[in-house]
Amino acid sequence: PVSGVTLRAQPPTGQVAEGDRLVLLCSVATGTGPLSFSWHRQGSAAPLATGPRYELRAAQQRDSGHYHCAATNGDSAANSSSLGVTVL
């Protein structure tokens, strides 16, 4: 099963100025088989993007909110805790 899903941000605070770049990275501690990742904001079921990395090249204030990533190997799935992103 997939477990230990973690979400990291660059910069680590999750706080950026409007127009700056924000990168979110998702990783898993354990999980077998091919892993797939999806990105979600404010609890939305529809994914914003897929893959282990989500990048906002020029963050806007509307991008502020709580993000989490989900990882699955087809048999099991797990979510990261949410991370608050603030665009100033």
Side-chain angles (χ1 to χ4, degrees):
V2 176
S3 64
V5 181
T6 56
L7 170 58
R8 290 183 302 123
Q10 293 172 346
T13 60
Q15 185 171 309
V16 293
E18 194 167 27
D20 283 357
R21 186 173 75 127
L22 175 72
V23 177
L24 302 177
L25 302 165
C26 192
S27 60
V28 297
T30 58
T32 57
L35 294 171
S36 60
F37 299 89
S38 60
W39 292 94
H40 306 270
R41 184 168 76 98
Q42 303 290 102
S44 169
L48 295 167
T50 57
R53 173 187 170 104
Y54 180 60
E55 181 176 344
L56 296 169
R57 286 189 178 90
Q60 303 298 311
Q61 284 193 334
R62 68 176 178 269
D63 295 319
S64 292
H66 286 86
Y67 290 77
H68 78 274
C69 63
T72 180
N73 64 1
D75 293 325
S76 68
N79 291 327
S80 70
S81 56
S82 67
L83 173 78
V85 169
T86 304
V87 181
L88 304 173

